Amino acid sequence: MERAAIGILMLETNFPRPLGDIGHLHTWDFPVQKRAVGGASAQKVVHEDPRALLDAFIQVGRELVADGCRGLTTSCGFLSLMQDELKDALGVPFASSSLMQIPMIEAMLPTNQEVGVLTISKDSLRAEHLQAAGARGDVPIEGLPRDGAFATAIFDDLPDIDFTSCQTEMSAIAQKLVSKHESVGAIVLECTNMAPYAADIEKLTGLPVYSIVSFLNWFQAGLAPMRY
């Protein structure tokens, strides 16, 4: 069996992970190795300071490296706050957040366009998170409602999720983002659980949509290049 080049530092959760989610193994055309970080709930990572869990992330990350993973990532975009600490502690390429795609995408867009971000929590996503990912701190942001189907399932760690209601919510915030910010020429999905809805958002807005899936496919391509 081919060894996994990418190890995923997972939050400790029980909510469903449909195809397209970072936690669904069939999302990937290559092997990945997942390992949960004890105590790392969505609530603690998004609404509190995830750096309080740094030692736990380092420990699990080192286990994945010892098992042969040559690059690591996480299952939450808010973990950009630990990008520098974890890449140095783990000693391998580390991609903490899909937000890290923003500078590269903006370099490709016309100069009058910019990236817009969709997040699970607009109130919690601060300039500090964006800057830690190498992005501008003032990119346009829209977030899902805390009492909606998507955020409730994630933060309350529910055993079921209403996929249709989540699709409706994603479409609504995407429409809000592009309506408020005509300069948005591409969209980045902060939350790794949003990737299953990327195609719906692209169809609605007509804009390129980048997620943790697009990011890790690129990441993998360097860690384990195709042989031709």
Side-chain angles (χ1 to χ4, degrees):
M1 179 178 176
E2 182 184 355
R3 298 185 75 181
I6 292 180
I8 306 175
L9 294 159
M10 299 289 294
L11 300 190
E12 194 173 47
T13 62
N14 297 299
F15 55 76
R17 293 184 175 276
L19 184 62
D21 185 285
I22 192 172
H24 195 302
L25 287 178
H26 293 299
T27 295
W28 310 109
D29 291 331
F30 45 82
V32 299
Q33 191 172 160
K34 304 185 301 175
R35 196 160 301 175
V37 177
S41 67
Q43 173 69 29
K44 287 183 179 178
V45 168
V46 175
H47 295 308
E48 301 174 27
D49 190 339
R51 288 168 290 200
L53 298 164
L54 178 61
D55 289 345
F57 275 91
I58 291 174
Q59 177 182 338
V60 175
R62 287 176 174 168
E63 292 172 2
L64 288 167
V65 172
D67 284 347
C69 296
R70 294 186 287 117
L72 301 180
T73 188
T74 82
S75 67
C76 181
F78 280 79
L79 290 168
S80 64
L81 288 179
M82 294 195 288
Q83 172 65 34
D84 288 345
E85 291 87 349
L86 284 172
K87 73 177 184 183
D88 291 342
L90 300 173
V92 298
F94 177 64
S96 61
S97 173
S98 64
L99 298 172
M100 296 175 72
Q101 297 173 102
I102 294 173
M104 180 172 65
I105 297 166
E106 291 200 327
M108 295 186 289
L109 293 175
T111 54
N112 64 339
Q113 294 183 10
E114 61 183 335
V115 165
V117 172
L118 299 183
T119 178
I120 192 171
S121 177
K122 183 178 180 180
D123 291 341
S124 298
L125 188 61
R126 305 185 302 275
E128 183 181 14
H129 294 91
L130 295 159
Q131 291 164 347
R136 295 182 295 111
D138 61 348
V139 299
I141 298 171
E142 285 299 333
L144 289 158
R146 174 58 183 88
D147 59 354
F150 184 84
T152 297
I154 302 301
F155 290 125
D156 294 352
D157 207 17
L158 301 181
D160 298 300
I161 189 167
D162 186 337
F163 194 80
T164 300
S165 293
C166 291
Q167 286 178 310
T168 300
E169 291 176 5
M170 297 291 169
S171 296
I173 65 162
Q175 187 62 59
K176 185 176 181 181
L177 176 70
V178 297
S179 296
K180 288 175 60 177
H181 305 278
E182 295 182 358
S183 58
V184 169
I187 294 172
V188 167
L189 308 180
E190 166 276 315
C191 180
T192 64
N193 312 115
M194 287 181 170
Y197 311 94
D200 296 318
I201 295 169
E202 184 277 332
K203 183 178 181 180
L204 173 70
T205 64
L207 300 177
V209 178
Y210 298 89
S211 68
I212 193 64
V213 174
S214 63
F215 192 27
L216 294 191
N217 281 325
W218 171 86
F219 193 41
Q220 167 76 8
L223 294 172
M226 292 284 292
R227 184 174 295 279
Y228 299 100

